[in-house]
Coordinates of all heavy atoms in Angstrom, one line a residue:
M1 N 0.8 -1.1 0.0 CA 0.0 -0.1 0.0 C 0.8 1.2 0.1 O 0.8 2.0 -0.7 CB -0.9 -0.1 1.3 CG -2.0 1.1 1.2 SD -3.1 1.0 -0.3 CE -4.1 2.5 0.1
K2 N 1.9 1.2 0.8 CA 2.7 2.4 1.0 C 3.5 2.6 -0.4 O 3.5 3.7 -0.8 CB 3.8 2.0 2.1 CG 4.5 3.4 2.6 CD 5.5 2.9 3.7 CE 6.4 4.0 4.0 NZ 7.6 3.7 4.7
N3 N 3.8 1.5 -1.0 CA 4.4 1.6 -2.4 C 3.5 2.2 -3.4 O 4.0 3.0 -4.2 CB 4.9 0.3 -2.8 CG 6.3 -0.1 -2.3 OD1 7.0 0.8 -1.7 ND2 6.6 -1.4 -2.1
I4 N 2.3 1.7 -3.4 CA 1.3 2.3 -4.3 C 1.2 3.8 -4.1 O 1.3 4.6 -5.1 CB -0.1 1.6 -4.2 CG1 0.2 0.2 -4.6 CG2 -1.0 2.3 -4.9 CD1 -1.1 -0.7 -4.3
I5 N 1.0 4.3 -2.8 CA 0.9 5.7 -2.6 C 2.2 6.4 -3.0 O 2.1 7.4 -3.8 CB 0.7 6.0 -1.2 CG1 -0.7 5.3 -0.7 CG2 0.7 7.4 -0.7 CD1 -1.0 5.4 0.7
L6 N 3.3 5.9 -2.7 CA 4.6 6.5 -3.1 C 4.7 6.6 -4.7 O 5.1 7.7 -5.2 CB 5.8 5.7 -2.6 CG 7.2 6.4 -2.7 CD1 7.1 7.7 -1.8 CD2 8.3 5.4 -2.0
T7 N 4.4 5.4 -5.3 CA 4.5 5.4 -6.8 C 3.5 6.5 -7.3 O 3.8 7.3 -8.3 CB 4.0 4.1 -7.3 OG1 4.9 3.1 -6.7 CG2 4.3 3.9 -8.8
S8 N 2.2 6.5 -6.8 CA 1.3 7.5 -7.3 C 1.8 8.9 -7.1 O 1.7 9.7 -8.0 CB 0.0 7.4 -6.7 OG -0.4 6.1 -6.5
A9 N 2.5 9.1 -6.1 CA 2.9 10.5 -5.8 C 4.0 11.0 -6.7 O 4.1 11.9 -7.4 CB 3.5 10.6 -4.4
L10 N 4.8 9.8 -7.1 CA 5.9 10.1 -8.0 C 5.5 10.4 -9.5 O 5.8 11.3 -10.1 CB 6.9 8.9 -8.2 CG 7.9 8.8 -6.9 CD1 8.8 7.5 -7.0 CD2 8.8 10.0 -6.9
I11 N 4.4 9.6 -9.7 CA 3.8 9.8 -11.1 C 3.1 11.2 -11.2 O 3.4 11.9 -12.2 CB 2.9 8.7 -11.5 CG1 3.6 7.4 -11.6 CG2 2.0 9.1 -12.8 CD1 2.6 6.1 -11.8
A12 N 2.5 11.5 -10.1 CA 1.7 12.8 -10.2 C 2.8 13.9 -10.2 O 2.7 14.9 -11.0 CB 0.9 12.9 -8.8
S13 N 3.9 13.8 -9.5 CA 4.9 14.9 -9.5 C 5.5 15.0 -10.8 O 5.8 16.1 -11.3 CB 5.9 14.9 -8.5 OG 6.7 13.7 -8.5
A14 N 5.7 13.8 -11.5 CA 6.3 13.8 -12.8 C 5.4 14.5 -13.9 O 5.9 15.2 -14.7 CB 6.6 12.4 -13.2
L15 N 4.1 14.3 -13.7 CA 3.2 14.9 -14.6 C 3.1 16.4 -14.4 O 3.1 17.2 -15.2 CB 1.8 14.3 -14.4 CG 1.6 12.8 -14.9 CD1 0.2 12.4 -14.5 CD2 1.7 12.8 -16.4
I16 N 3.2 16.8 -13.1 CA 3.0 18.3 -12.9 C 4.3 19.1 -13.4 O 4.2 20.0 -14.0 CB 2.8 18.5 -11.3 CG1 1.4 18.0 -10.9 CG2 3.0 20.0 -11.0 CD1 1.4 17.8 -9.4
S17 N 5.5 18.4 -13.2 CA 6.7 19.1 -13.6 C 7.0 18.6 -15.1 O 8.1 18.9 -15.4 CB 7.7 18.7 -12.6 OG 8.0 17.4 -12.6
A18 N 6.2 17.8 -15.9 CA 6.6 17.5 -17.1 C 7.1 18.7 -17.8 O 6.3 19.7 -18.0 CB 5.4 16.9 -17.8
P19 N 8.3 18.6 -18.4 CA 8.9 19.7 -19.1 C 8.1 19.9 -20.4 O 7.8 19.0 -21.2 CB 10.2 19.3 -19.4 CG 10.2 17.8 -19.4 CD 9.2 17.4 -18.5
T20 N 7.7 21.2 -20.6 CA 7.5 21.6 -22.0 C 8.7 21.7 -22.6 O 9.7 22.3 -22.1 CB 6.6 22.9 -22.1 OG1 7.3 23.8 -21.3 CG2 5.2 22.8 -21.6
F21 N 8.9 21.1 -23.9 CA 10.4 21.2 -24.3 C 11.0 22.4 -24.3 O 10.5 23.4 -24.6 CB 10.4 20.5 -25.7 CG 10.1 19.0 -25.7 CD1 8.8 18.6 -26.0 CD2 11.0 18.0 -25.3 CE1 8.5 17.2 -25.8 CE2 10.8 16.8 -25.2 CZ 9.5 16.3 -25.5
A22 N 12.2 22.3 -23.9 CA 13.0 23.6 -23.6 C 13.2 24.4 -24.9 O 13.5 23.8 -26.0 CB 14.4 23.4 -23.0
A23 N 13.0 25.6 -25.0 CA 13.1 26.5 -26.2 C 14.7 26.5 -26.6 O 15.4 26.6 -25.7 CB 12.5 27.8 -25.9
P24 N 14.9 26.6 -27.9 CA 16.2 26.7 -28.3 C 16.8 28.0 -27.7 O 16.2 29.0 -27.6 CB 16.2 26.9 -29.9 CG 14.8 26.1 -30.1 CD 13.9 26.4 -29.0
A25 N 18.1 28.0 -27.4 CA 18.7 29.2 -26.7 C 18.6 30.4 -27.4 O 18.5 31.4 -26.8 CB 20.2 28.7 -26.4
K26 N 18.8 30.2 -28.8 CA 18.8 31.5 -29.7 C 17.4 31.9 -30.2 O 17.5 32.8 -30.9 CB 19.8 31.2 -30.9 CG 21.2 30.8 -30.6 CD 22.1 32.1 -30.6 CE 23.5 31.8 -30.1 NZ 24.4 31.2 -31.0
L27 N 16.4 31.3 -29.7 CA 15.1 31.6 -30.2 C 14.7 33.0 -30.0 O 14.1 33.6 -30.9 CB 14.1 30.6 -29.5 CG 12.6 30.8 -29.9 CD1 12.5 30.6 -31.4 CD2 11.7 29.9 -29.2
A28 N 15.1 33.6 -28.9 CA 14.7 35.0 -28.6 C 15.2 36.0 -29.6 O 14.4 36.9 -30.1 CB 15.2 35.4 -27.2
V29 N 16.4 35.7 -30.3 CA 16.9 36.5 -31.3 C 16.0 36.4 -32.6 O 15.5 37.5 -33.1 CB 18.4 36.0 -31.7 CG1 18.8 37.0 -32.8 CG2 19.1 36.0 -30.5
C30 N 15.7 35.3 -32.9 CA 14.8 35.0 -34.2 C 13.4 35.6 -33.9 O 12.8 36.0 -34.8 CB 14.8 33.5 -34.5 SG 16.4 32.6 -34.2
A31 N 12.8 35.3 -32.7 CA 11.5 35.6 -32.4 C 11.2 37.1 -32.6 O 10.1 37.5 -33.0 CB 11.3 35.4 -31.0
A32 N 12.2 38.0 -32.5 CA 12.0 39.4 -32.7 C 11.3 39.7 -34.1 O 10.6 40.6 -34.3 CB 13.3 40.3 -32.5
C33 N 11.8 39.0 -35.0 CA 11.5 39.1 -36.4 C 10.5 38.0 -36.9 O 9.7 38.3 -37.8 CB 12.5 39.2 -37.4 SG 13.6 40.7 -37.1
H34 N 10.7 36.8 -36.5 CA 9.9 35.6 -37.1 C 8.8 35.2 -36.0 O 8.1 34.4 -36.4 CB 10.8 34.5 -37.2 CG 11.8 34.7 -38.5 ND1 11.3 34.9 -39.7 CD2 13.1 35.1 -38.5 CE1 12.3 35.1 -40.5 NE2 13.4 35.2 -39.8
G35 N 8.7 35.8 -34.8 CA 7.7 35.2 -33.8 C 8.2 34.1 -33.1 O 9.0 33.4 -33.7
Q36 N 7.9 34.1 -31.8 CA 8.3 32.9 -31.0 C 7.9 31.5 -31.6 O 8.7 30.6 -31.6 CB 7.6 33.1 -29.6 CG 8.0 32.1 -28.5 CD 9.2 32.7 -27.8 OE1 9.6 33.8 -27.9 NE2 9.8 31.8 -26.9
D37 N 6.7 31.6 -32.1 CA 6.2 30.3 -32.9 C 6.3 30.4 -34.4 O 5.7 29.6 -35.0 CB 4.6 30.1 -32.4 CG 3.9 31.3 -33.0 OD1 4.4 32.3 -33.6 OD2 2.6 31.3 -32.8
G38 N 7.3 31.2 -34.8 CA 7.6 31.1 -36.3 C 6.5 31.9 -37.1 O 6.5 31.8 -38.3
N39 N 5.5 32.5 -36.5 CA 4.6 33.2 -37.2 C 5.0 34.7 -37.2 O 4.9 35.5 -36.2 CB 3.2 33.1 -36.7 CG 2.5 31.7 -37.1 OD1 2.2 31.5 -38.2 ND2 2.5 30.8 -36.0
S40 N 5.5 35.3 -38.3 CA 6.1 36.5 -38.2 C 5.1 37.7 -38.0 O 4.0 37.7 -38.5 CB 6.8 36.9 -39.5 OG 7.1 38.3 -39.6
P41 N 5.5 38.5 -37.0 CA 4.5 39.6 -36.7 C 4.8 40.8 -37.7 O 4.0 41.8 -37.6 CB 5.0 40.1 -35.2 CG 6.4 39.6 -35.2 CD 6.6 38.5 -36.1
I42 N 5.8 40.7 -38.4 CA 6.2 41.8 -39.4 C 5.8 41.5 -40.8 O 6.3 40.5 -41.4 CB 7.6 42.3 -39.2 CG1 7.9 42.4 -37.7 CG2 8.1 43.4 -39.9 CD1 9.4 42.5 -37.3
P43 N 5.0 42.4 -41.5 CA 4.7 42.1 -42.9 C 6.0 42.1 -43.7 O 6.8 42.9 -43.6 CB 3.8 43.3 -43.2 CG 3.3 43.8 -42.1 CD 4.4 43.5 -41.0
G44 N 6.0 41.1 -44.6 CA 7.2 40.9 -45.5 C 8.2 40.0 -44.8 O 9.3 39.7 -45.7
Y45 N 8.2 39.9 -43.5 CA 9.2 39.0 -43.0 C 8.6 37.5 -43.0 O 7.5 37.3 -42.6 CB 9.5 39.3 -41.5 CG 10.4 40.6 -41.4 CD1 10.5 41.5 -42.4 CD2 10.9 40.8 -40.2 CE1 11.3 42.6 -42.3 CE2 11.6 42.0 -40.1 CZ 11.8 42.9 -41.0 OH 12.5 44.0 -40.8
P46 N 9.3 36.5 -43.4 CA 8.7 35.2 -43.7 C 8.3 34.5 -42.4 O 8.9 34.5 -41.6 CB 9.8 34.4 -44.5 CG 11.1 35.1 -44.2 CD 10.7 36.6 -43.9
T47 N 7.2 33.9 -42.6 CA 6.7 33.0 -41.5 C 7.4 31.7 -41.7 O 7.7 31.1 -42.8 CB 5.2 32.7 -41.6 OG1 4.5 33.9 -41.0 CG2 4.7 31.5 -40.9
L48 N 7.9 31.1 -40.5 CA 8.8 29.9 -40.5 C 8.0 28.7 -40.0 O 8.2 27.5 -40.3 CB 10.1 30.0 -39.7 CG 10.9 31.3 -40.0 CD1 12.1 31.2 -39.0 CD2 11.4 31.3 -41.5
A49 N 6.8 29.1 -39.3 CA 6.0 27.9 -38.7 C 5.6 27.0 -39.8 O 5.1 27.3 -40.9 CB 4.8 28.6 -38.0
G50 N 5.7 25.7 -39.5 CA 5.2 24.6 -40.4 C 6.1 24.5 -41.6 O 5.7 23.5 -42.5
K51 N 7.1 25.1 -41.8 CA 7.9 24.8 -43.0 C 8.7 23.6 -42.8 O 9.1 23.4 -41.6 CB 8.7 26.0 -43.4 CG 7.9 27.3 -44.0 CD 8.8 28.3 -44.7 CE 7.8 29.3 -45.4 NZ 8.4 30.7 -45.5
D52 N 9.1 22.9 -43.8 CA 9.8 21.8 -43.8 C 11.1 21.9 -43.2 O 11.8 22.9 -43.3 CB 10.0 21.2 -45.2 CG 10.6 19.7 -45.2 OD1 10.0 18.9 -44.7 OD2 11.6 19.6 -45.8
K53 N 11.4 21.0 -42.2 CA 12.7 21.2 -41.4 C 14.0 21.2 -42.3 O 14.8 22.0 -42.2 CB 12.8 20.1 -40.4 CG 14.0 20.2 -39.5 CD 14.2 19.1 -38.6 CE 15.8 19.3 -38.0 NZ 16.3 17.9 -37.5
A54 N 14.0 20.3 -43.2 CA 15.0 20.2 -44.1 C 15.2 21.5 -45.0 O 16.3 21.9 -45.2 CB 14.9 18.9 -45.0
Y55 N 14.1 22.0 -45.4 CA 14.2 23.4 -46.0 C 14.8 24.5 -45.2 O 15.6 25.3 -45.6 CB 12.8 23.7 -46.5 CG 12.6 25.1 -47.2 CD1 13.0 25.4 -48.4 CD2 12.2 26.2 -46.3 CE1 13.0 26.7 -48.9 CE2 12.1 27.6 -46.8 CZ 12.5 27.7 -48.0 OH 12.5 29.0 -48.6
L56 N 14.3 24.5 -43.9 CA 14.8 25.5 -43.1 C 16.4 25.3 -42.9 O 17.1 26.4 -42.9 CB 14.1 25.6 -41.7 CG 12.5 25.9 -41.8 CD1 11.9 25.7 -40.5 CD2 12.4 27.4 -42.3
V57 N 16.8 24.2 -42.6 CA 18.2 23.8 -42.5 C 19.0 24.4 -43.7 O 20.0 25.0 -43.5 CB 18.3 22.3 -42.2 CG1 19.9 22.0 -42.3 CG2 17.9 21.9 -40.8
E58 N 18.4 24.0 -44.9 CA 19.2 24.4 -46.1 C 19.2 25.8 -46.3 O 20.3 26.4 -46.6 CB 18.2 23.7 -47.2 CG 19.0 23.7 -48.5 CD 18.1 22.9 -49.5 OE1 17.6 21.9 -49.3 OE2 17.8 23.6 -50.6
Q59 N 18.1 26.6 -45.9 CA 18.1 28.0 -46.1 C 19.2 28.7 -45.1 O 19.8 29.6 -45.5 CB 16.8 28.6 -45.8 CG 15.7 28.2 -46.8 CD 16.2 28.1 -48.1 OE1 16.7 29.0 -48.8 NE2 16.0 26.9 -48.9
L60 N 19.2 28.1 -43.9 CA 20.2 28.7 -42.9 C 21.5 28.4 -43.3 O 22.3 29.4 -43.1 CB 19.7 28.2 -41.5 CG 18.5 28.8 -40.9 CD1 18.0 28.1 -39.6 CD2 18.6 30.3 -40.6
N61 N 21.8 27.3 -43.8 CA 23.2 27.0 -44.3 C 23.5 27.9 -45.5 O 24.6 28.3 -45.7 CB 23.3 25.6 -44.6 CG 23.5 24.8 -43.2 OD1 24.3 25.1 -42.5 ND2 22.8 23.6 -43.1
A62 N 22.5 28.0 -46.4 CA 22.8 29.0 -47.5 C 23.1 30.3 -47.2 O 23.9 31.1 -47.7 CB 21.5 28.9 -48.5
F63 N 22.4 30.9 -46.2 CA 22.7 32.3 -45.6 C 24.1 32.3 -45.0 O 25.0 33.1 -45.2 CB 21.7 32.7 -44.5 CG 20.3 33.1 -45.2 CD1 19.2 32.5 -44.5 CD2 20.2 34.1 -46.1 CE1 17.9 33.0 -45.1 CE2 19.0 34.5 -46.6 CZ 17.8 34.0 -46.1
K64 N 24.4 31.2 -44.3 CA 25.7 31.1 -43.5 C 26.7 31.1 -44.5 O 27.8 31.9 -44.2 CB 25.6 29.8 -42.7 CG 26.7 29.7 -41.7 CD 26.6 28.4 -40.8 CE 27.7 28.3 -39.8 NZ 27.5 27.2 -38.9
N65 N 26.7 30.3 -45.6 CA 27.9 30.3 -46.6 C 27.6 31.2 -47.8 O 28.4 31.0 -48.8 CB 28.2 28.8 -46.9 CG 27.0 28.2 -47.6 OD1 26.2 28.9 -48.4 ND2 26.9 26.9 -47.6
D66 N 26.7 32.1 -47.6 CA 26.5 33.3 -48.5 C 26.1 32.8 -49.9 O 26.3 33.4 -51.0 CB 27.8 34.1 -48.7 CG 28.1 35.0 -47.5 OD1 27.0 35.5 -46.8 OD2 29.2 35.1 -47.0
T67 N 25.5 31.5 -50.1 CA 25.0 31.2 -51.3 C 23.5 31.7 -51.5 O 23.0 31.6 -52.6 CB 25.1 29.7 -51.6 OG1 24.4 29.1 -50.4 CG2 26.4 29.2 -51.8
R68 N 23.0 32.2 -50.4 CA 21.7 32.9 -50.5 C 22.0 34.4 -49.9 O 22.5 34.4 -48.7 CB 20.6 32.2 -49.7 CG 19.3 33.0 -49.7 CD 18.1 32.2 -49.1 NE 16.9 33.1 -49.0 CZ 15.7 32.8 -48.5 NH1 15.5 31.5 -48.1 NH2 14.8 33.6 -48.4
A69 N 21.6 35.3 -50.6 CA 21.5 36.6 -50.0 C 20.3 37.0 -49.5 O 19.2 36.7 -49.8 CB 22.0 37.7 -51.2
D70 N 20.3 37.9 -48.4 CA 19.2 38.4 -47.8 C 18.5 39.5 -48.6 O 19.2 40.6 -48.8 CB 19.4 38.8 -46.3 CG 18.1 39.2 -45.6 OD1 17.1 39.8 -46.2 OD2 18.1 39.0 -44.4
A71 N 17.4 39.3 -49.2 CA 16.9 40.2 -50.3 C 16.0 41.4 -49.5 O 15.6 42.3 -50.1 CB 16.0 39.6 -51.2
V72 N 15.8 41.2 -48.2 CA 14.9 42.2 -47.5 C 15.7 43.1 -46.7 O 15.4 44.3 -46.7 CB 13.8 41.4 -46.6 CG1 13.0 42.4 -45.9 CG2 13.1 40.4 -47.4
I73 N 16.7 42.6 -45.8 CA 17.6 43.4 -45.0 C 19.0 43.0 -45.3 O 19.4 41.9 -44.8 CB 17.3 43.3 -43.5 CG1 15.9 43.3 -43.1 CG2 18.0 44.2 -42.7 CD1 15.6 42.8 -41.8
P74 N 19.6 43.7 -46.1 CA 21.0 43.2 -46.7 C 21.8 42.7 -45.6 O 22.0 43.3 -44.6 CB 21.6 44.5 -47.3 CG 20.3 45.3 -47.8 CD 19.3 45.0 -46.7
N75 N 22.3 41.5 -45.9 CA 23.3 40.8 -45.0 C 22.7 40.4 -43.5 O 23.3 39.5 -42.9 CB 24.5 41.6 -44.6 CG 25.2 41.8 -45.8 OD1 25.4 40.9 -46.6 ND2 25.9 42.9 -46.0
N76 N 21.5 40.8 -43.3 CA 20.9 40.4 -41.9 C 20.9 38.9 -41.7 O 21.5 38.4 -40.6 CB 19.6 40.9 -41.7 CG 18.9 40.4 -40.4 OD1 19.6 40.6 -39.3 ND2 17.8 39.8 -40.5
M77 N 20.2 38.2 -42.5 CA 20.1 36.8 -42.3 C 21.5 36.1 -42.4 O 21.6 35.0 -41.8 CB 19.0 36.1 -43.3 CG 17.6 36.2 -42.7 SD 17.5 35.8 -40.9 CE 18.2 34.1 -40.8
N78 N 22.3 36.5 -43.4 CA 23.6 36.0 -43.5 C 24.3 36.1 -42.1 O 25.0 35.1 -41.6 CB 24.5 36.6 -44.6 CG 23.5 36.5 -45.8 OD1 22.8 37.4 -46.1 ND2 23.9 35.5 -46.7
N79 N 24.3 37.3 -41.5 CA 25.0 37.4 -40.1 C 24.4 36.6 -39.1 O 25.0 36.0 -38.3 CB 24.9 38.9 -39.8 CG 25.9 39.7 -40.8 OD1 26.9 39.3 -41.2 ND2 25.6 41.1 -40.9
Q80 N 23.0 36.6 -39.1 CA 22.3 35.8 -38.1 C 22.8 34.3 -38.2 O 23.1 33.6 -37.2 CB 20.7 35.8 -38.4 CG 20.1 37.0 -38.3 CD 20.0 37.7 -36.9 OE1 20.2 36.9 -35.8 NE2 19.8 38.9 -36.7
A81 N 22.8 33.7 -39.4 CA 23.3 32.4 -39.7 C 24.6 32.0 -39.3 O 25.0 31.0 -38.8 CB 22.9 31.9 -41.0
K82 N 25.5 33.1 -39.6 CA 26.9 32.8 -39.2 C 27.1 32.7 -37.7 O 28.1 32.1 -37.3 CB 27.7 34.0 -39.8 CG 27.8 33.9 -41.3 CD 28.8 35.0 -41.9 CE 29.0 34.7 -43.3 NZ 28.0 35.4 -44.1
G83 N 26.2 33.2 -36.9 CA 26.3 33.1 -35.4 C 25.7 31.8 -34.9 O 25.8 31.5 -33.7
L84 N 25.2 30.8 -35.9 CA 24.7 29.6 -35.4 C 25.5 28.4 -35.7 O 26.1 28.3 -36.8 CB 23.3 29.5 -36.1 CG 22.3 30.5 -35.9 CD1 21.1 30.2 -36.9 CD2 21.8 30.6 -34.4
S85 N 25.7 27.5 -34.8 CA 26.4 26.4 -35.0 C 25.4 25.3 -35.7 O 24.2 25.5 -35.9 CB 26.7 25.7 -33.6 OG 25.5 25.2 -32.9
D86 N 26.0 24.1 -36.3 CA 25.1 23.2 -36.8 C 24.0 22.7 -36.0 O 22.9 22.5 -36.4 CB 26.0 22.0 -37.4 CG 26.8 22.3 -38.6 OD1 26.7 23.4 -39.1 OD2 27.7 21.6 -38.8
A87 N 24.4 22.6 -34.7 CA 23.4 22.0 -33.8 C 22.3 23.0 -33.5 O 21.2 22.7 -33.4 CB 24.1 21.6 -32.4
E88 N 22.7 24.3 -33.5 CA 21.6 25.3 -33.3 C 20.7 25.4 -34.4 O 19.5 25.6 -34.4 CB 22.2 26.7 -33.0 CG 22.9 26.7 -31.6 CD 23.8 27.9 -31.3 OE1 24.4 28.6 -32.1 OE2 23.9 28.3 -30.1
I89 N 21.3 25.4 -35.7 CA 20.5 25.3 -36.8 C 19.5 24.3 -36.8 O 18.3 24.4 -37.2 CB 21.3 25.2 -38.1 CG1 22.1 26.6 -38.3 CG2 20.6 24.9 -39.4 CD1 23.0 26.7 -39.5
D90 N 20.0 23.0 -36.5 CA 19.1 21.9 -36.5 C 18.0 22.1 -35.4 O 16.8 21.9 -35.7 CB 20.0 20.7 -36.0 CG 19.2 19.4 -36.3 OD1 19.2 18.9 -37.4 OD2 18.7 18.9 -35.3
E91 N 18.4 22.7 -34.3 CA 17.3 22.7 -33.2 C 16.3 23.9 -33.4 O 15.1 23.7 -33.3 CB 18.3 23.3 -31.9 CG 17.5 23.3 -30.6 CD 18.4 23.9 -29.6 OE1 19.3 24.7 -29.8 OE2 18.1 23.7 -28.4
L92 N 16.8 25.0 -34.2 CA 15.9 26.1 -34.4 C 14.9 25.6 -35.6 O 13.6 25.9 -35.6 CB 16.6 27.3 -34.9 CG 17.3 28.1 -33.7 CD1 18.4 29.0 -34.1 CD2 16.4 28.8 -32.9
S93 N 15.5 24.9 -36.5 CA 14.7 24.4 -37.6 C 13.7 23.4 -37.2 O 12.4 23.4 -37.6 CB 15.6 23.7 -38.7 OG 16.5 24.7 -39.3
A94 N 14.1 22.5 -36.2 CA 13.1 21.5 -35.7 C 12.1 22.3 -34.9 O 10.8 22.0 -35.1 CB 13.8 20.5 -34.6
H95 N 12.4 23.4 -34.2 CA 11.3 24.2 -33.4 C 10.4 24.8 -34.3 O 9.1 24.6 -34.2 CB 12.0 25.2 -32.6 CG 11.1 26.3 -32.0 ND1 10.3 26.1 -31.0 CD2 10.8 27.5 -32.5 CE1 9.6 27.1 -30.8 NE2 9.7 27.9 -31.6
F96 N 10.9 25.5 -35.3 CA 9.9 26.2 -36.2 C 9.1 25.4 -37.1 O 7.9 25.5 -37.3 CB 10.7 27.2 -37.1 CG 11.3 28.4 -36.4 CD1 12.5 28.7 -36.5 CD2 10.3 29.2 -35.7 CE1 12.9 30.0 -35.6 CE2 10.7 30.2 -34.9 CZ 12.0 30.6 -34.9
S97 N 9.6 24.1 -37.7 CA 8.9 23.2 -38.5 C 7.9 22.6 -37.7 O 6.7 22.2 -38.3 CB 9.9 22.2 -39.0 OG 10.3 21.2 -38.0
T98 N 7.9 22.5 -36.4 CA 6.9 21.9 -35.6 C 5.7 22.8 -35.0 O 4.8 22.4 -34.3 CB 7.4 21.0 -34.4 OG1 8.2 21.9 -33.7 CG2 8.2 19.8 -35.0
Q99 N 5.8 24.1 -35.4 CA 4.9 25.1 -35.1 C 3.7 25.1 -36.0 O 4.0 24.9 -37.2 CB 5.4 26.5 -34.8 CG 6.6 26.5 -33.9 CD 6.5 26.1 -32.5 OE1 5.4 26.6 -31.9 NE2 7.1 25.0 -32.0
A100 N 2.5 25.5 -35.6 CA 1.4 25.6 -36.4 C 1.3 27.0 -37.2 O 1.5 28.0 -36.4 CB 0.2 25.4 -35.6
P101 N 1.4 27.0 -38.4 CA 1.3 28.4 -39.1 C -0.1 28.9 -38.9 O -1.2 28.2 -38.8 CB 1.4 28.0 -40.6 CG 1.2 26.5 -40.7 CD 1.4 25.9 -39.3
K102 N -0.3 30.1 -38.6 CA -1.5 31.0 -38.5 C -1.9 31.6 -39.7 O -1.2 32.2 -40.5 CB -1.4 31.9 -37.4 CG -1.3 31.1 -35.9 CD -1.2 31.9 -34.8 CE -0.9 31.2 -33.6 NZ 0.0 31.8 -32.5
Ligands
LIG1 C1 16.1 41.6 -37.9 C2 15.1 40.7 -38.4 C3 15.3 39.1 -38.4 C4 16.0 38.4 -37.5 C5 16.6 38.8 -36.1 C6 16.1 37.0 -37.9 N1 15.5 37.0 -39.2 FE1 15.4 35.3 -40.4 N2 14.7 36.5 -42.0 C7 14.4 37.9 -41.8 C8 14.0 38.3 -43.1 C9 13.5 39.7 -43.5 C10 14.0 37.2 -44.1 C11 13.8 37.1 -45.6 C12 15.0 37.3 -46.3 C13 14.9 37.0 -47.8 O1 13.8 36.6 -48.1 O2 15.7 37.3 -48.5 C14 14.5 36.1 -43.2 C15 14.4 34.8 -43.7 C16 14.7 33.7 -42.8 C17 14.7 32.2 -43.4 C18 14.4 31.8 -44.8 C19 12.8 31.6 -44.8 C20 12.3 31.0 -46.0 O3 11.1 31.0 -46.3 O4 13.1 31.0 -47.1 C21 14.9 31.5 -42.3 C22 15.1 30.0 -42.2 C23 15.2 32.3 -41.1 N3 15.1 33.7 -41.5 C24 15.6 32.0 -39.8 C25 15.9 32.8 -38.8 C26 16.4 32.4 -37.6 C27 16.7 30.8 -37.2 C28 16.9 33.3 -36.9 C29 17.4 33.4 -35.5 C30 18.8 33.0 -35.4 C31 16.4 34.6 -37.6 N4 16.0 34.1 -38.8 C32 16.6 35.9 -37.3 C33 14.4 38.7 -40.7 C34 15.1 38.3 -39.4

């Protein structure tokens, strides 16, 4: 009986503290222009929510190695991408690709 109570308490506390997946560390930077959930608050700035993860990774790498130029704010996305590691590109792309476009 004691074990059952203890187990239930552990399950309950695990449920209460269940982590909503930690946001990528660099998300705040991107969120200023693309929105926390990838739905851009600024007209003309692309929405990233729900876009294919592989597409987002490809675009960030293209900005990073200057094979894609930023047509809206010269060099901005190139500089943003140059500050990202491969792991951060992967993490941010995964985050935005799994958000719902509005
Ligand atoms: C100062 C505003 C600003 C910030 C900060 C910013 N972006 Fe952007 N981003 C833009 C604009 C504007 C474009 C469109 C560039 C173009 O079309 O040439 C863009 C384009 C992109 C694209 C390509 C989208 C597509 O549909 O092809 C991706 C991916 C992206 N940004 C990701 C990010 C990530 C990840 C961050 C954070 C590390 C970030 N951006 C930070 C303004 C910003």
Side-chain angles (χ1 to χ4, degrees):
M1 186 60 183
K2 200 175 161 198
N3 275 342
I4 294 174
I5 293 172
L6 189 62
T7 308
S8 316
L10 284 175
I11 292 172
S13 69
L15 287 175
I16 291 165
S17 62
T20 45
F21 287 99
K26 297 265 169 78
L27 180 60
V29 180
C30 322
C33 293
H34 293 289
Q36 187 89 8
D37 64 357
N39 287 288
S40 168
I42 305 168
Y45 289 15
T47 280
L48 307 178
K51 285 192 175 159
D52 188 58
K53 184 190 164 197
Y55 170 81
L56 295 174
V57 169
E58 199 178 304
Q59 299 318 305
L60 286 166
N61 281 316
F63 284 126
K64 190 174 180 178
N65 63 30
D66 291 322
T67 52
R68 175 173 171 180
D70 189 324
V72 180
I73 313 167
N75 294 322
N76 170 59
M77 275 313 305
N78 303 88
N79 291 330
Q80 297 290 344
K82 286 182 174 95
L84 302 174
S85 66
D86 288 349
E88 287 168 332
I89 286 179
D90 193 77
E91 188 186 27
L92 288 162
S93 300
H95 168 79
F96 288 123
S97 69
T98 53
Q99 305 301 307
K102 288 179 186 151

